[in-house]
Amino acid sequence: MYALALRLYQLLRPEDAFFSRRHRSQVQVYRLLSLLGPVLLLVHGAAHQAAAPSHYDPL
């Protein structure tokens, strides 16, 4: 599990020497959040629909 997480973090981290270490970390966090955002939005929608199916509005 640790090796998988480490490999994922390496994929999200930029390799460019132009950025400082701090900026590379920030870019890595932004990339991770941009990938997790749509997933969390879908999970929230499904949980909201399951909690109150009579009040569900697809728009």
Side-chain angles (χ1 to χ4, degrees), residues 2-57:
Y2 177 74
L4 180 63
L6 183 62
R7 184 175 172 112
L8 177 64
Y9 290 142
Q10 288 174 349
L11 287 174
L12 296 175
R13 191 172 188 92
E15 298 288 330
D16 195 3
F18 176 75
F19 293 119
S20 67
R21 183 176 179 186
R22 190 180 123 226
H23 286 139
R24 284 192 300 245
S25 295
Q26 286 178 343
V27 169
Q28 181 181 17
V29 169
Y30 296 151
R31 288 178 178 178
L32 180 63
L33 290 175
S34 68
L35 290 174
L36 286 178
V39 172
L40 292 176
L41 185 64
L42 291 173
V43 168
H44 177 267
H48 182 71
Q49 182 182 6
S54 63
H55 297 110
Y56 180 67
D57 184 12

